[in-house]
Amino acid sequence: CILAKTFKGSGCPEVEDLMNWHGKPLGAKTDLALETITKKIANTGPHGLVAASPGPVRSVDISNVQLSEPPSYNLGQKVATRAAYGSAIVKLAKNNKYVIALDGDTKNSTFSEKIKTVSPERYVECYIAEQNLVGVAIGCAARDRTVAFVSTFAAFFSRAYDQIRMGAVSQ
């Protein structure tokens, strides 16, 4: 365990650990703050760090995402929407190996864990960290690599609004 005491604006003269500066522009104090921070930089580079290019990737076909078989419910049969959702994910996964399911620790409520009957490695449990859940799904689906189904309760899903918004912007 690491326990740390932090100060807002640490190292910036005239604002460090003072009230009413969090999230506000420094205005006239900007130059002094930048000068102070710049003096503390031990290695100004060049660092020799270059991000590796992801390079070419094998193309995958996610265009054929469809049910392996039609729904098999009888007229008038009462089926919980969540059970139908779980069954649909299974049928989609049977038909396309790039369908994955991610869950926010609601697997036995959303039935998303049913995908494990087809392919356990295509199920990702993200527990009760919905922001992470959505971020992982965005990463998995980036560059059309998978078709990701994200499952959690709506009340918790709202926590991930910024990840969804930024995922759309990042396209």
Side-chain angles (χ1 to χ4, degrees):
C1 171
I2 297 175
L3 184 61
K5 182 173 183 177
T6 61
F7 298 96
K8 291 182 174 113
S10 179
C12 293
E14 300 180 36
V15 297
E16 180 177 342
D17 202 31
L18 296 177
M19 298 297 289
N20 297 318
W21 281 103
H22 186 249
K24 294 180 180 175
L26 295 176
K29 300 178 189 307
T30 302
D31 291 336
L32 178 59
L34 287 175
E35 181 183 328
T36 304
I37 292 169
T38 302
K39 287 179 182 176
K40 292 182 179 186
I41 298 173
N43 182 352
T44 59
H47 303 290
L49 300 175
V50 179
S53 170
V57 293
R58 178 178 50 83
S59 64
V60 298
D61 183 13
I62 61 168
S63 65
N64 64 340
V65 177
Q66 55 190 359
L67 298 174
S68 59
E69 57 190 77
S72 56
Y73 307 116
N74 296 320
L75 184 61
Q77 180 182 359
K78 294 185 179 191
V79 179
T81 306
R82 59 197 183 108
Y85 172 74
S87 296
I89 290 176
V90 167
K91 290 178 181 184
L92 293 169
K94 283 180 180 177
N95 205 43
N96 188 303
K97 66 182 181 178
Y98 300 107
V99 169
I100 65 171
L102 300 95
D103 194 273
D105 206 20
T106 57
K107 58 197 163 284
N108 59 345
S109 294
T110 64
F111 290 83
S112 63
E113 68 181 353
K114 284 179 141 186
I115 197 172
K116 293 193 280 187
T117 64
V118 176
S119 183
E121 67 275 3
R122 289 196 269 157
Y123 176 79
V124 181
E125 177 58 72
C126 293
Y127 300 101
I128 53 172
E130 285 73 13
Q131 296 91 335
N132 180 57
L133 168 70
V134 168
V136 171
I138 290 170
C140 289
R143 298 173 72 188
D144 295 330
R145 305 310 295 163
T146 67
V147 177
F149 287 86
V150 175
S151 309
T152 192
F153 297 140
F156 305 141
F157 199 55
S158 62
R159 298 174 183 163
Y161 171 76
D162 280 338
Q163 283 77 3
I164 296 167
R165 182 178 59 86
M166 293 310 297
V169 170
S170 298
Q171 297 295 324

